[in-house]
Amino acid sequence: MARKSNANKAQFLLSTDSLSWYWLDLIFDTAKELNFDGIDLAMWKNFDAWHIEYVNDLVKKYKMPVKVVQISEHANIKEMNQAIDLGKQLKAEVVTINAPSILNIKSYRFLKGNLPSYKAHNKTVKFSIINPEDKNFLWVIPKFYFSSIVEIIKKYRMYLALDVANVEENILDYQFMKKMPNFIPYLSVVYLSDVWKWWQRHLPLWDWVYKIPTLLKKFKQNEYDWFFSLKLNLSKKDLSDIDKVKVILKKCRMYYKENYEQIKIG
């Protein structure tokens, strides 16, 4: 797929599933206020996202483009077709798909059987699989389909939407970053967040477990120019206070600016 017009600069999006159950109007307003570059629209978390005219009105009102449309792990023909229609109307460049659980055979078979056709008939869209959490369940039975980032690319011939918080720290540090040039051509979105000792994922971007500044610097060195998407798991207590939410998002926005946008690669 052709590079974006501003090919020298990756864009920083706000994923709407960071603000679960907020009305989209408030999310767009917040993203605009905090200088995000666009929206990653999680259809499965924001039910008003299914209304194309409404979302299009928000894009125009806030001058805040939707760059990614995200669908749930329960993918079916209705949700996929709606995501594609949304993408076409909003000129979104990427559709990301949450990997179905190992018990959800119906969604897996739908994706495996129909994604080649969707790709063939929608060549301007980067259909991408989000790597899931937890590689194994009870150490024997896989918990999700599409669990390997290499398998997503090589076996299923899909673009990868890399959720950093779902990759084990040693794999991220010692395998992915060292081989990043090999992955760059197949990446559409990088979901940014941090973790704390593996039982808390999708935390804000500062000084937890992962070396986020090192990761961002590597992406800049390798001229990654698609999308970063901020994907947080905020508590209900935090979400009940929009001013507190804005403080968290603003700090993440500044963190990204300082560790990616402003760094110089010599």
Side-chain angles (χ1 to χ4, degrees):
M1 186 175 178
R3 288 156 66 96
K4 304 187 303 296
S5 58
N6 55 343
N8 294 325
K9 177 181 177 293
Q11 296 181 1
F12 193 39
L13 313 179
L14 176 60
S15 179
T16 62
D17 61 347
S18 297
L19 304 178
S20 297
W21 318 125
Y22 276 30
W23 287 105
L24 283 181
D25 194 301
L26 179 57
I27 298 176
F28 272 75
D29 184 36
T30 302
K32 181 68 174 180
E33 179 183 338
L34 300 180
N35 296 312
F36 283 85
D37 297 314
I39 294 291
D40 177 346
L41 189 67
M43 290 174 56
W44 56 292
K45 282 293 185 72
N46 307 94
F47 295 121
D48 44 348
W50 285 67
H51 300 283
I52 296 176
E53 291 184 2
Y54 172 64
V55 178
N56 202 30
D57 286 343
L58 292 178
V59 169
K60 294 175 182 177
K61 177 181 178 181
Y62 293 105
K63 297 181 180 178
M64 179 61 51
V66 172
K67 294 293 187 178
V68 176
V69 177
Q70 183 188 153
I71 69 174
S72 73
E73 66 177 90
H74 304 289
N76 55 46
I77 189 170
K78 182 178 180 181
E79 187 177 15
M80 181 67 82
N81 288 346
Q82 184 70 5
I84 292 170
D85 288 344
L86 268 169
K88 288 179 178 178
Q89 289 291 327
L90 303 173
K91 296 182 173 60
E93 299 166 83
V94 178
V95 170
T96 60
I97 304 160
N98 284 274
S101 73
I102 203 70
L103 300 177
N104 189 354
I105 299 172
K106 186 176 180 180
S107 290
Y108 171 69
R109 287 177 175 171
F110 166 75
L111 292 172
K112 184 180 179 182
N114 291 281
L115 277 171
S117 178
Y118 278 114
K119 289 164 59 179
H121 288 91
N122 301 276
K123 294 185 181 298
T124 61
V125 178
K126 279 191 168 184
F127 291 95
S128 311
I129 301 291
I130 302 172
N131 57 295
E133 63 181 58
D134 296 337
K135 183 171 59 177
N136 290 311
F137 177 66
L138 297 179
W139 300 281
V140 178
I141 305 171
K143 189 175 180 181
F144 289 93
Y145 293 105
F146 306 108
S147 59
S148 166
I149 61 176
V150 174
E151 183 183 72
I152 289 170
I153 295 168
K154 289 191 173 183
K155 179 178 178 180
Y156 295 101
R157 299 184 180 277
M158 294 290 293
Y159 284 100
L160 171 66
L162 179 70
D163 191 330
V164 171
N166 289 339
V167 181
E168 292 181 15
E169 183 184 7
N170 63 326
I171 293 176
L172 190 68
D173 289 349
Y174 301 110
Q175 296 184 37
F176 179 81
M177 278 202 260
K178 287 185 178 180
K179 298 179 180 179
M180 188 181 287
N182 297 329
F183 286 103
I184 290 289
Y186 306 101
L187 283 172
S188 61
V189 185
V190 177
Y191 285 98
L192 285 179
S193 63
D194 209 335
V195 303
W196 176 247
K197 295 182 179 178
W198 285 110
W199 62 80
Q200 294 183 51
R201 290 188 173 90
H202 301 110
L203 299 178
L205 304 176
W206 49 77
D207 300 331
W208 298 106
V209 172
Y210 285 179
K211 303 178 181 70
I212 301 297
T214 302
L215 182 67
L216 289 172
K217 184 176 181 180
K218 281 281 189 179
F219 273 114
K220 193 154 190 176
Q221 287 174 331
N222 285 281
E223 299 182 339
Y224 173 70
D225 62 357
W226 277 87
F227 303 117
F228 292 102
S229 183
L230 182 66
K231 183 174 184 176
L232 304 181
N233 183 17
L234 300 177
S235 69
K236 290 183 179 180
K237 183 178 179 180
D238 287 341
L239 288 169
S240 67
D241 186 344
I242 184 59
D243 292 326
K244 185 174 182 179
V245 167
K246 287 183 178 180
V247 169
I248 294 170
L249 295 181
K250 183 176 182 179
K251 190 173 179 180
C252 287
R253 183 69 184 89
M254 288 301 300
Y255 190 95
Y256 174 81
K257 182 177 181 179
E258 292 168 359
N259 289 284
Y260 184 81
E261 293 178 341
Q262 293 183 338
I263 64 169
K264 303 295 183 183
I265 302 300

